Amino acid sequence: MTHGETRARRIALVLGGGGMKGFAHLGVMQALEERGIHPTVYAGTSIGALLAAAAVGGMPLADMRRRAETMRRRDLFRINHLGMLMERMRSPSIYTAEPVRELVHDIVPAGTFKDLPTRLLVNTVDIGRATQVVWGAPGLEDASIRDAVYASCALPGFFPPGKVAGRTCLDGGVIDNVPVHIAGMFADVVIAVDVGNSEIRPISEGLSSGFANISMRALTTMMHALQQVPLTVWNGPPMVLIRPRVDEDWLSFAHTTETIAEGHRSAVAALEHFDAYVERPGGVYPRREVELEVVRDRCIGCRLCASLAPGMMGIDASGKAFARARTTEWSPADGDFVHHCPTDAIIPHTVRHVEIRRSGERERLAG
């Protein structure tokens, strides 16, 4: 397939929420530019919505990167001293809205979604109705882009909700951090970037990390669990799922350059066989062949793995877990049950990556 044929397809780029980890999206977009992949639909949540809106508005990638690398914590996070003093428990947030609104005003186009040359989908939650609202979808295009993007960035408790076309909305990650299903309605192939839930690593001293980080840890755990469902039961067009291995602190500006570089690295690797993926009828890519090892001395027989993944894991007569198949084929969305083992008794070993060749060519395993 030529680059011209690739561009003719409807390609949705979905950028997930993840605080400052979302700077990895810039590296992903750089990799897309290098491959000549031009999305026809952009969708995003939180920082993903912010960067998607900036891209649709025509902001050069170099300018986005320059702003990201010069941004500091004080530029976005200003304690809402007056609100917390006067309203106490009735204060809507820890931080004030103004810095985020200023950033949105600077890089997001004015006007409504109807004014945009490319479809933009901004994921939010209507807090009054407790429902998901995706601005820019048909029937929801007559709304301020800036208001919608601010609301999508309004992490509950951290920033106050925003008004969008008369609705009180906040961060859509509460329900759907990587809105692939709605984006897939407008695309022949989906490229999804999940930075918020890519890897939840254990921490030893959770209580010493402060209120904001504890709250963020809890939200991350919730978002991760919610996000697994649409990814593991995906039945839309072929999806390339990119999960950069980025720093786990949503609120840190310390590793912006490295985060962007990791976004680029992970995207280059995931897109290696992109031309073959787009010809598939569906599925999540890239894929790898995995061998599951259960360390019996560590297994305590809690049965959690078998309850979460009954098709892959079972319990033997002695009460120990075992893998039902010696090897299995995984996409980046698979294998979440491994993370839940309380004693780290399940170890996945990558045997080889699965190379999906273009139509008419034999699929083979690349060693």
Side-chain angles (χ1 to χ4, degrees):
M1 178 182 297
T2 68
H3 285 321
E5 291 172 326
T6 299
R7 284 194 294 270
R9 293 181 179 271
R10 298 179 305 160
I11 300 172
L13 176 61
V14 185
L15 305 179
M20 303 311 109
K21 298 194 293 182
F23 290 141
H25 294 320
L26 300 176
V28 173
M29 287 192 280
Q30 178 188 343
L32 295 180
E33 281 191 1
E34 292 168 354
R35 280 195 65 98
I37 298 173
H38 303 284
T40 57
V41 178
Y42 286 78
T45 300
S46 194
I47 190 170
L50 179 72
L51 296 176
V56 171
M59 187 175 187
L61 192 54
D63 290 350
M64 286 191 245
R65 176 168 186 151
R66 182 167 56 252
R67 290 201 64 131
E69 291 180 331
T70 57
M71 190 175 292
R72 296 295 177 263
R73 186 182 180 90
R74 64 180 178 272
D75 296 329
L76 285 184
F77 299 102
R78 298 178 195 167
I79 298 291
N80 184 16
H81 291 290
L82 182 60
M84 297 179 72
L85 176 65
M86 301 298 292
E87 300 179 70
R88 298 191 179 183
M89 293 299 292
R90 294 182 63 84
S91 176
S93 63
I94 302 172
Y95 302 108
T96 62
E98 285 72 21
V100 178
R101 286 198 177 276
E102 290 171 6
L103 176 62
V104 169
H105 185 274
D106 287 346
I107 72 173
V108 171
T112 70
F113 289 85
K114 289 181 177 178
D115 303 322
L116 295 173
T118 303
R119 185 176 293 278
L120 171 67
L121 302 170
V122 173
N123 187 35
T124 68
V125 165
D126 181 332
I127 192 61
R129 299 179 66 243
T131 58
Q132 183 177 11
V133 181
V134 182
W135 301 99
L140 292 168
E141 297 168 297
D142 194 14
S144 164
I145 306 164
R146 289 174 176 172
D147 286 349
V149 170
Y150 168 77
S152 189
C153 293
L155 191 67
F158 286 76
F159 298 103
K163 286 284 188 181
V164 189
R167 297 172 181 257
T168 302
C169 298
L170 45 69
D171 189 347
V174 170
I175 290 179
D176 187 1
N177 203 39
V178 188
V180 289
H181 274 300
I182 184 67
M185 300 290 290
F186 304 95
D188 302 310
V189 59
V190 174
I191 300 171
V193 190
D194 180 10
V195 294
N197 311 307
S198 57
E199 186 176 9
I200 303 179
R201 293 185 289 272
I203 56 175
S204 57
E205 296 294 335
L207 292 178
S208 66
S209 57
F211 165 77
N213 284 320
I214 292 173
S215 297
M216 185 60 72
R217 181 77 173 182
L219 281 169
T220 301
T221 303
M222 177 191 71
M223 291 177 181
H224 179 84
L226 288 172
Q227 197 60 60
Q228 280 303 112
V229 176
L231 293 177
T232 54
V233 299
W234 177 249
N235 60 359
M239 180 201 303
V240 179
L241 178 58
I242 302 171
R243 279 183 158 170
R245 298 174 64 88
V246 290
D247 185 82
E248 60 195 71
D249 187 350
W250 287 49
L251 308 180
S252 174
F253 292 84
H255 307 291
T256 299
T257 300
E258 294 88 341
T259 298
I260 295 172
E262 169 57 18
H264 181 264
R265 184 208 63 78
S266 60
V268 168
L271 294 167
E272 183 179 359
H273 301 292
F274 179 75
D275 290 346
Y277 301 151
V278 301
E279 296 183 7
R280 310 296 294 179
V284 181
Y285 305 94
R287 306 188 70 81
R288 60 192 173 113
E289 191 178 59
V290 173
E291 183 177 299
L292 292 175
E293 174 191 0
V294 177
V295 183
R296 291 183 61 83
D297 290 344
R298 295 185 195 171
C299 179
I300 58 176
C302 71
R303 290 167 167 72
L304 186 59
C305 60
S307 69
L308 293 174
M312 293 186 183
M313 303 298 296
I315 303 297
D316 65 20
S318 67
K320 299 286 188 177
F322 70 93
R324 293 190 180 277
R326 185 171 182 272
T327 61
T328 186
E329 191 178 292
W330 278 0
S331 77
D334 296 317
D336 189 60
F337 67 91
V338 172
H339 160 75
H340 287 279
C341 178
T343 57
D344 298 322
I346 307 170
I347 304 174
H349 301 283
T350 297
V351 178
R352 62 189 77 188
H353 291 280
V354 178
E355 181 181 331
I356 307 295
R357 294 213 169 181
R358 293 178 54 184
S359 296
E361 298 182 15
R362 184 173 60 88
E363 296 183 10
R364 69 180 180 85
L365 296 176

